[in-house]
């Protein structure tokens, strides 16, 4: 049923449970797990550059390092579970790059984490997970993790 399962990650706590679900789904269907990190262009472009001495210490490099660590950690967990995993890094608006990856990679299932928050946080719109789930032509499984405000 599924040959390619995508797990977009930002390395945050809200993705932890989604990692388990994505690895489980890939294992059940003998699918390849694609682990994607998007370097958010909005964060990089908003940076003034005044805080760091040289470009090697800037936000893009920091986000790339975070992305490598996050995708490598998931790939190692997948390997431990006997699941083939490939990692990828993209640059741009996260929801747009995830949707592009889904289309270009012919992804069968996307598993995404979502932080379930109480109170005012619930009313915030525009999350990456929400946008991807509304716009993706392929199935999207949303795995909620409760995060205290």
């Amino acid at each position: 049923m599924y040959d390619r399962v995508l797990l977009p990650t930002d390395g945050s706590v809200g993705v932890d449970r989604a990692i388990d679900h994505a690895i489980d789904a890939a294992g059940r269907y003998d699918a390849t797990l694609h682990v994607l990190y998007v370097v958010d262009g909005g964060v990089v472009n908003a940076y003034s550059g005044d805080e760091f001495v040289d470009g090697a210490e800037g936000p893009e490099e920091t986000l790339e390092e975070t992305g490598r660590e996050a995708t490598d950690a998931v790939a190692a967990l997948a390997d431990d579970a006997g699941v083939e995993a490939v990692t990828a890094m993209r640059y741009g608006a996260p929801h747009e790059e995830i949707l592009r990856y889904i289309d270009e990679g012919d992804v069968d299932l996307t598993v995404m984490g979502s932080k379930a928050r109480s109170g005012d946080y619930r009313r915030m719109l525009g999350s990456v997970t929400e946008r991807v789930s509304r716009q993706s032509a392929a199935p999207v499984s949303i795995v909620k993790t409760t995060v205290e405000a």
Side-chain angles (χ1 to χ4, degrees), residues 4-133:
R4 288 164 297 284
V5 175
L6 172 63
L7 174 75
T9 183
D10 61 3
S12 71
V13 173
V15 178
D16 288 350
R17 291 187 63 225
I19 292 168
D20 295 337
H21 283 264
I23 291 171
D24 183 64
R28 285 176 191 261
Y29 293 101
D30 196 28
T32 301
L33 178 63
H34 293 254
V35 187
L36 174 65
Y37 181 88
V38 178
V39 176
D40 189 342
V43 171
V44 173
N45 292 334
Y47 170 65
S48 69
D50 293 337
E51 291 85 13
F52 298 102
V53 176
D54 63 48
E57 299 174 350
E60 186 169 5
E61 291 78 9
T62 301
L63 291 172
E64 287 172 350
E65 181 178 338
T66 298
R68 278 189 297 279
E69 290 171 359
T71 57
D72 289 348
V74 174
L77 291 171
D79 186 56
D80 290 346
V83 172
E84 178 186 354
V86 295
T87 63
M89 189 174 301
R90 297 276 179 102
Y91 300 81
H95 73 282
E96 291 173 0
E97 292 305 319
I98 293 167
L99 290 165
R100 186 172 291 116
Y101 193 96
I102 291 168
D103 290 341
E104 291 173 358
D106 200 24
V107 169
D108 302 303
L109 172 67
T110 301
V111 179
M112 297 188 73
S114 177
K115 297 174 190 86
R117 299 184 189 255
S118 59
D120 290 335
Y121 283 108
R122 282 188 307 222
R123 290 188 272 283
M124 291 179 13
L125 299 175
S127 76
V128 172
T129 300
E130 178 190 7
R131 289 177 180 176
V132 171
S133 68

